[in-house]
């Protein structure tokens, strides 16, 4: 899906008169190690961050973009990207559902996931939250072309985590509510 997304975005660049070029990074980044965790918990942490948080927020942001994007071609591309982001976010919660019996037998892992989320939420917000503003206002032409309003994008992140991601994770006995309220880049605690 991500390679197809790159192709879609390259077509958008070309449609807007640009030249689509991609520099490919040959080195692959490793998944976070999550030292001291079992392989099962490492996988759960990566799925929670990559799908339940990131992809769900991405989907919500694409919905917000659709509301403002007026160009029909760009709206169509945004819809295609949105459909995939929804599926990726759903995957994360389906994965958790498949692991529910395992999680229910391990309260220490659920507690560990809650502690991890305190840091993970803060990392996600620092990398993808857009900062504190003030944000430059977008012109009508920029909004028509689907450039995000950065203040809206930041608010969508906060609302989506608080009202979709947190309750979704809480269903699995993970204290995501406390983690979101007390999020901190202090990994130790």
């Amino acid at each position: 899906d991500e390679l197809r997304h790159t192709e879609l975005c390259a077509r958008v660049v070309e449609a807007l008169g640009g030249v689509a070029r991609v520099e490919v990074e040959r080195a692959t980044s490793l998944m976070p190690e999550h030292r001291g965790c079992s392989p099962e918990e490492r996988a759960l942490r990566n799925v929670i961050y990559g799908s339940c948080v990131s992809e769900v927020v991405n989907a919500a942001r694409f919905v917000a973009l659709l509301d403002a994007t007026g160009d029909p071609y760009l709206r169509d591309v945004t819809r295609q990207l949105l459909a995939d982001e929804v599926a990726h976010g759903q995957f994360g919660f389906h994965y958790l559902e498949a692991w529910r019996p395992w999680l229910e037998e391990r309260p220490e892992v659920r507690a560990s996931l809650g502690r991890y989320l305190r840091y993970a939420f803060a990392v996600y917000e620092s990398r993808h939250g857009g900062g504190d503003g003030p944000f430059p206002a977008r012109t009508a032409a920029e909004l028509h072309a689907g450039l995000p309003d950065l203040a809206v994008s930041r608010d969508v992140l906060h609302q989506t985590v608080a009202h979709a991601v947190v309750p979704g994770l809480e269903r699995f006995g993970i204290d995501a509510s406390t983690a979101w309220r007390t999020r901190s880049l202090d990994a130790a605690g």
Side-chain angles (χ1 to χ4, degrees):
D1 286 344
E2 302 306 331
L3 292 174
R4 192 168 39 74
H5 293 181
T6 302
E7 291 172 3
L8 282 169
C9 292
R11 283 190 230 135
V12 167
V13 168
E14 290 169 350
L16 295 173
V19 176
R21 287 185 299 234
V22 176
E23 292 185 28
V24 177
E25 177 64 40
R26 300 280 183 218
T28 58
S29 61
L30 300 175
M31 296 295 287
E33 290 182 25
H34 304 291
R35 289 190 173 103
C37 296
S38 68
E40 296 87 354
E41 184 177 348
R42 283 195 304 270
L44 286 165
R45 285 179 177 205
N46 291 331
V47 167
I48 288 169
Y49 185 88
S51 293
C52 299
V53 177
S54 183
E55 299 289 9
V56 170
V57 171
N58 290 344
R61 284 178 163 169
F62 278 128
V63 169
L65 280 177
L66 277 174
D67 288 345
T69 304
D71 181 273
Y73 173 72
L74 296 174
R75 284 180 61 81
D76 180 59
V77 170
T78 302
R79 279 191 193 95
Q80 292 176 56
L81 296 170
L82 170 60
D84 287 340
E85 299 306 287
V86 169
H88 300 161
Q90 287 175 331
F91 164 81
F93 288 102
H94 287 303
Y95 188 88
L96 283 171
E97 191 60 47
W99 281 87
R100 182 187 290 275
W102 186 87
L103 276 169
E104 287 175 349
E105 294 174 0
R106 291 167 179 82
E108 72 284 357
V109 171
R110 292 192 313 270
S112 176
L113 290 170
R115 289 188 302 274
Y116 160 72
L117 276 172
R118 183 173 183 266
Y119 177 70
F121 283 146
V123 167
Y124 188 82
E125 182 180 40
S126 73
R127 291 181 181 167
H128 306 287
D132 294 329
F135 301 105
R138 293 287 188 205
T139 66
E142 289 172 331
L143 292 172
H144 182 79
L147 288 175
D149 178 310
L150 297 177
V152 169
S153 186
R154 182 192 58 204
D155 291 343
V156 166
L157 182 153
H158 289 147
Q159 294 299 317
T160 302
V161 171
H163 300 292
V165 174
V166 164
L169 294 173
E170 293 271 336
R171 291 184 17 238
F172 298 96
I174 301 167
D175 190 3
S177 179
T178 299
W180 177 242
R181 274 193 328 275
T182 63
R183 63 194 178 275
S184 171
L185 290 172
D186 178 10

